[in-house]
Amino acid sequence: MSAPDFAEQFRQLVDAFDAIPGVGPQAARRMGRYVLSHSGSRALGESIVQARSSLNHCAQCRMFTTETLCADCSAAETSDALFPGVLLVVEQADEALHWREQGYTGPVFVLHGVLSPVAGVGPTQLGLAQLKQRIAALQSQTLWLALQSDTAKGAGAEPSVEARATELFIRQMLPDKDVSLMNDNAITQAINDAIGETGCR
Ligand SMILES: [Zn+2]
């Protein structure tokens, strides 16, 4: 009885890790072994359960939050002196944190992915109707799209096919807005330009 139980559980663990983008079967097996043999994996498991059960998407910007609105949206401050009319649209929530650390103080919107028909990710999954509402509420004129998909290629990498398809979709959805697909270097430059122009840093 115990051998099939172990086999089945180990297979489920490996499959779960293998489903993570960038993790192949070999690494997934190593992670499965780690989970079974290290006491630290209990804390890992608890962190995963806690994050999944307590965090949801902010109703306005889709940033992860434990409340209905995140701290930024609760503050209700919509215009930003350094980045007037700019809305930074990021692929993943942690990227919003990254750009905040780099000095970006304007509003953000999190897509939680890019368009990918193969993976079943469409406009609904990315919250694009919500994005449109957000832009109307903020009266944003300029969208900085921080979409690369392929972070392994580094800060200067060209955007992925999915990122370009997402850009095209958003551009067509918002024909009167200035939409720019930017890599990390371009966003860093734009932030530094905005900060530099006002002499705040
Ligand atoms: Zn928010």
Side-chain angles (χ1 to χ4, degrees), residues 58 61 70 73:
C58 167
C61 72
C70 71
C73 292

Side-chain angles (χ1 to χ4, degrees), residues 14-37:
V14 172
D15 285 353
F17 285 122
D18 194 18
I20 299 172
V23 176
Q26 296 275 10
R29 256 197 307 282
R30 280 200 300 276
M31 291 176 182
R33 285 182 206 135
Y34 169 84
V35 165
L36 294 178
S37 58

Side-chain angles (χ1 to χ4, degrees), residues 59-62 87-90 108-111 123-124 126-140 142-145 147 166-167 169-171 173-174 177 179:
Q60 287 184 4
C61 72
R62 306 220 318 155
L87 177 63
L88 175 63
V89 179
V90 294
V108 299
F109 188 89
V110 186
L111 296 177
T124 308
L126 301 185
L128 294 187
Q130 229 170 312
L131 172 63
K132 212 170 170 177
Q133 289 172 5
R134 184 86 178 123
I135 288 164
L138 293 166
Q139 298 186 309
S140 309
T142 306
L143 268 72
W144 293 353
L145 302 185
L147 315 173
T166 308
E167 175 206 17
F169 192 97
I170 292 174
R171 205 182 275 282
M173 183 177 82
L174 304 161
K177 304 296 177 190
V179 179

Side-chain angles (χ1 to χ4, degrees), residues 1 16 25 44 51 55 64 80 91 97 189:
M1 263 319 268
L44 170 69
L55 294 176
F64 282 121
D80 187 87
E91 195 174 317
L97 300 180
Q189 185 65 52

